[in-house]
Amino acid sequence: MISELSISRRALLAGAGAISGLAWAGPLAAQTRTALRIVGPWEFTSLEPTDTGYLLTRLGVAETLVQVDPDGRLVGGVASGWTVSEDKLMWRFPIRAGALFHDGNPVTAEAVVNSLKRAFSGESLSAVPLDGVSIDGDAVIIRTKTPFSPLPAFLVDYAAILLAPAAYDAEGKVQKIVATGPYRLAAIDGKTNLELERFQGARVKAHISKVRYTAVANGDTRANIAIAGDADLVYTLAPTALPRINAAGQLRVESLTIPRVRPLAVNCGLPQFNDKNVRRALSLAIDRAGIASAVLRHPGSAATQLLPPILTEWHNPALPALRQNIAEAQRLLDSAGWVPGADGIRVKNGVRFAAKLLTLANRPELPPMAAALQAQFKQIGLEISIEVGPAAIIPTAIREDRMEMTMFARTYVNVPDVIATIIPDYTREKSTWGTVHWPERTQMKRLTDAYIASFDTTEKARLRAEITTLLHDELPVIPVAWFEHTVAVSPRLRNVAIDPFEMRYLAEAMAWG
């Protein structure tokens, strides 16, 4: 039932209403008004859950053992709940009674274990100290070698979607998608078009019987689709397109701040950035409010600390807000021995205060944000050049140890416990989306180890405060802007919600107005 989705009032967007809309022709079957037309940037490139499981969960095709609702509460998915043993090493997940796969066969503990074993063998869930997955009647048993309190949150990871035995070939490779969600995959046309139909055996019954998803990688094209009203929902829109979409009047733009951050990362092993006071100076040079308003068109995106308030447990109200103060930034650089040169760029021990900033072309707001930072940093004597490239540009530079400075978008809820992102980003010598050569990573690992081993809520709250304070004081990654999830919505839809955790589009809850 829809009530099981526990959609927050804050996330609800669209009310009743109707527009005629335009028929959007495409290579699949002709659409009717009964088909919900969704446009997003994500292509369906593979049947493997580790590659495209995130799209299958968003569309309501596949489910995991545990889910997260839009208010951040962990709830049963295919499992009806969970318990943990007294020694905190054995977890029991009963399979929900009456659960069915899309082929009509019952979801058994044996089938779930088969899917989970494949998921645990991949990189996504490698942080779990797994000791084994087994069956106990109608329940799945997961054992860990050491206490691991965030295990239920890790099972929300899209790599852990549950597929039927019929989904696999004789070699154990996925040959087709046979899952458990409220929609089943009816047709695939290349990488860009998916047709879904309502699965009558789902525990949550969808109101709308058919869905058509089309991947449109180009942001300008997605914006033009929204302007023309040629879809019912258009996801991931560039900030510069929002006024035009609203002015066209076909779809209405809605935004919600989500647990994703646009940070600036530096190589702490370089002489330019190995002093935390220098990194503090960089932070003090940034006009976050100006960037949020002028570039992002969303003033609420200005980051006052790494994690936004929507992450209620991890947002630390005791931390002083990050702010711009050019005079203080210059004082810190003077104290650190960086002396202005004849051209205004600072120098120390023969090293020029300069760096190359790498950023991503597939996030259209990042290059103009980088240009704004370039101008703001020049005020304090830092010279940066900008290189815009594909997603691989950053990990390649880090792997080859030539990364100086990067700017990207990082989500903190692929697993809906922030610790799952903190660990890979801030405890390793070189992290693609976090720190590089940060001396305090050992201290961070001590804190994260204590956090995952603890089941005491008071102790975990204390550790969260220590973790966020360490990141705020050291600034190995400098927050610039939080992320706004933007969707254009047809007024003929009601019960539309933005999931701040980006796990589900919640299309099953939607209905025609």
Side-chain angles (χ1 to χ4, degrees):
M1 304 301 291
I2 295 302
S3 61
E4 293 182 32
L5 292 174
S6 186
I7 298 173
S8 68
R9 292 181 182 270
R10 176 179 54 193
L12 286 171
L13 302 179
I19 60 171
S20 58
L22 300 176
W24 187 19
L28 293 180
Q31 299 301 297
T32 69
R33 285 178 59 83
T34 60
L36 176 65
R37 302 165 301 170
I38 299 177
V39 172
W42 319 114
E43 294 184 342
F44 190 70
T45 56
S46 168
L47 293 172
E48 280 298 320
T50 52
D51 294 330
T52 54
Y54 67 92
L55 183 55
L56 296 173
T57 57
R58 290 182 186 192
L59 289 171
V61 173
E63 296 176 307
T64 46
L65 208 58
V66 179
Q67 293 180 329
V68 60
D69 71 18
D71 288 320
R73 182 171 59 97
L74 293 178
V75 295
V78 174
S80 59
W82 56 88
T83 57
V84 63
S85 62
E86 188 174 347
D87 64 3
K88 310 303 183 188
L89 298 176
M90 185 182 79
W91 297 77
R92 190 174 192 273
F93 297 87
I95 302 303
R96 194 179 294 276
L100 297 174
F101 286 115
H102 290 158
D103 59 4
N105 288 314
V107 178
T108 64
E110 182 179 7
V112 171
V113 165
N114 181 54
S115 274
L116 285 178
K117 284 182 176 178
R118 296 180 83 256
F120 278 118
S121 66
E123 182 178 354
S124 296
L125 298 174
S126 60
V128 178
L130 185 68
D131 193 35
V133 184
S134 59
I135 301 165
D136 180 20
D138 63 350
V140 172
I141 304 298
I142 299 178
R143 296 179 180 274
T144 58
K145 297 174 183 177
T146 56
F148 192 78
S149 61
L151 178 64
F154 271 71
L155 295 176
V156 179
D157 192 311
Y158 62 78
I161 60 172
L162 302 175
L163 301 179
Y168 305 99
D169 62 18
E171 296 179 351
K173 295 182 179 179
V174 179
Q175 60 175 346
K176 57 183 177 180
I177 301 300
V178 186
T180 61
Y183 287 101
R184 61 177 292 273
L185 191 57
I188 304 173
D189 186 356
K191 298 178 181 179
T192 58
N193 292 283
L194 301 177
E195 281 192 352
L196 316 178
E197 60 185 22
R198 179 169 52 205
F199 176 47
Q200 298 293 351
R203 64 184 176 88
V204 177
K205 303 298 189 296
H207 290 293
I208 297 174
S209 61
K210 293 183 182 296
V211 174
R212 187 186 191 218
Y213 172 81
T214 301
V216 178
N218 185 276
D220 289 336
T221 304
R222 288 198 306 278
N224 288 335
I225 290 169
I227 289 168
D230 286 350
D232 299 304
L233 293 161
V234 182
Y235 287 90
T236 314
L237 295 162
T240 52
L242 306 188
R244 293 187 294 126
I245 296 170
N246 278 327
Q250 297 295 310
L251 275 66
R252 183 179 72 255
V253 174
E254 300 284 354
S255 296
L256 180 71
T257 301
I258 60 173
R260 186 186 287 267
V261 182
R262 298 176 181 95
L264 183 75
V266 299
N267 185 340
C268 295
L270 295 176
Q272 300 96 307
F273 308 123
N274 59 8
D275 184 339
K276 70 178 181 181
N277 284 325
V278 170
R279 300 192 295 270
R280 288 175 178 172
L282 298 188
S283 179
L284 287 163
I286 298 173
D287 180 7
R288 294 172 175 83
I291 289 173
S293 296
V295 179
L296 301 177
R297 312 291 178 91
H298 193 267
S301 295
T304 59
Q305 59 181 273
L306 180 64
L307 301 170
I310 197 166
L311 290 169
T312 54
E313 289 190 331
W314 283 91
H315 182 82
N316 188 344
L319 296 176
L322 298 174
R323 69 197 193 287
Q324 186 183 39
N325 187 327
I326 298 297
E328 177 65 9
Q330 291 173 332
R331 187 193 68 78
L332 287 172
L333 291 173
D334 290 342
S335 297
W338 289 94
V339 179
D343 60 356
I345 304 305
R346 293 175 180 265
V347 179
K348 179 181 178 180
N349 297 330
V351 176
R352 187 173 173 84
F353 197 37
K356 176 184 284 188
L357 189 156
L358 306 177
T359 194
L360 305 176
N362 63 355
R363 293 285 182 184
E365 77 282 5
L366 291 182
M369 288 179 69
L373 291 177
Q374 184 180 48
Q376 291 166 17
F377 286 150
K378 191 171 184 179
Q379 296 180 76
I380 63 168
L382 170 64
E383 180 181 64
I384 66 171
S385 58
I386 300 170
E387 182 177 346
V388 180
I393 190 174
I394 292 177
T396 299
I398 292 172
R399 185 173 60 253
E400 296 175 357
D401 214 18
R402 55 180 177 81
M403 173 273 205
E404 296 174 348
M405 179 183 284
T406 61
M407 190 174 189
F408 48 86
R410 181 57 163 154
T411 182
Y412 279 82
V413 287
N414 274 342
V415 170
D417 187 327
V418 172
I419 199 68
T421 306
I422 296 290
I423 291 171
D425 285 4
Y426 299 103
T427 66
R428 298 173 181 174
E429 182 176 4
K430 294 194 290 186
S431 172
T432 302
W433 311 116
T435 59
V436 174
H437 302 308
W438 181 40
E440 294 300 318
R441 63 186 180 273
T442 303
Q443 167 69 356
M444 180 60 76
K445 188 174 188 310
R446 182 187 68 78
L447 294 172
T448 58
D449 285 351
Y451 184 89
I452 62 176
S454 176
F455 286 75
D456 180 83
T457 56
T458 301
E459 182 185 20
K460 294 184 83 164
R462 177 184 61 79
L463 289 166
R464 283 194 296 270
E466 288 192 43
I467 289 169
T468 53
T469 299
L470 181 61
L471 291 173
H472 201 74
D473 288 348
E474 284 276 331
L475 290 173
V477 165
I478 302 168
V480 178
W482 296 321
F483 216 95
E484 61 292 333
H485 188 34
T486 304
V487 56
V489 183
S490 168
R492 71 176 181 146
L493 277 175
R494 58 185 175 86
N495 294 342
V496 179
I498 290 180
D499 175 11
F501 293 90
E502 298 186 272
M503 298 293 181
R504 294 179 286 168
Y505 289 154
L506 301 167
E508 62 272 21
M510 299 176 196
W512 300 125

